[in-house]
Amino acid sequence: AATPISVEPPLDPGAVYYQRLLAGDEAEASELLERYLTEGSPPETLYDALMLPALNLAQDDRSEGRLSEEEERGVIDATRELLLEVDTAESAASEGPQQVPPETETASASSIGILGYPANGEADVLALRMLGKVLEATPLRLEIMPRPGLWSEVVEQVKAKGYRVVCIADLPPSAPS
């Protein structure tokens, strides 16, 4: 007799990464990140494919009562640590004798300041950090508020530092979303 083949579609990489974080298996989650990068995917897509979906799933599961606040915090903390690990690996890979093109030197003088505002908390801060990594090779300079604040603080920051754009990070499924 033939073994039935599952008709269930395979889990997407973000859900698999999320499951590894929920299981407390950061080593395997890290391996998933490394595998994603070694399969030829551009590094900047790692955030959209694995890390942000895990943060969204954790927030969704928390709001639906399937996850405790402590478990959600564990996913956020693990993602923060793995993001740092990815940043460190990318920095080590790009080290070595490199010449800085002249246009890069002038880009900082003509960069456009963006203030990143996290709408709800640490997951939004992490999303902004990911965006900041993607923007590093551009003339856009993202500075992130460490926590949600009053709008008067945002206006004060914009005036004081001359930001031209405010980017509000609000990962779904938050109430403001």
Side-chain angles (χ1 to χ4, degrees):
T3 305
I5 296 175
S6 174
V7 293
E8 296 290 321
L11 290 176
D12 68 80
V16 173
Y17 170 77
Y18 175 60
Q19 285 183 338
R20 293 299 84 220
L21 294 179
L22 283 180
D25 192 350
E26 285 186 47
E28 192 170 332
S30 179
E31 287 177 26
L32 287 169
L33 298 176
E34 288 176 29
R35 191 174 326 127
Y36 183 85
L37 292 173
T38 59
E39 289 176 350
S41 300
E44 61 273 6
T45 64
L46 174 71
Y47 309 132
D48 285 335
L50 299 175
M51 296 179 137
L52 289 172
L55 294 173
N56 288 343
L57 287 167
Q59 195 166 359
D60 186 39
D61 284 349
R62 172 79 172 111
S63 69
E64 295 291 325
R66 294 185 295 259
L67 205 62
S68 71
E69 190 173 320
E70 183 178 294
E71 290 169 316
E72 180 185 28
R73 165 72 34 213
V75 170
I76 292 169
D77 290 344
T79 299
R80 183 185 317 99
E81 289 175 27
L82 291 168
L83 179 60
L84 185 60
E85 188 179 297
V86 168
D87 291 349
T88 303
E90 285 179 1
S91 295
S94 66
E95 281 183 4
Q98 296 177 352
Q99 252 184 320
V100 178
E103 63 271 8
T104 305
E105 294 171 5
T106 59
S108 62
S110 65
S111 65
I112 297 170
I114 301 172
L115 178 62
Y117 178 84
N120 291 307
E122 190 61 29
D124 294 335
V125 171
L126 285 175
L128 286 166
R129 284 184 52 204
M130 292 175 207
L131 176 61
K133 290 297 295 175
V134 172
L135 296 177
E136 281 181 352
T138 72
L140 303 173
R141 180 182 36 87
L142 179 66
E143 292 184 30
I144 303 166
M145 293 183 72
R147 62 190 170 353
L150 300 173
W151 280 110
S152 60
E153 294 172 352
V154 174
V155 171
E156 194 175 298
Q157 287 274 349
V158 168
K159 287 180 181 178
K161 295 192 178 180
Y163 295 112
R164 299 198 27 216
V165 176
V166 175
C167 176
I168 302 170
D170 185 18
L171 293 177
S174 71
S177 293

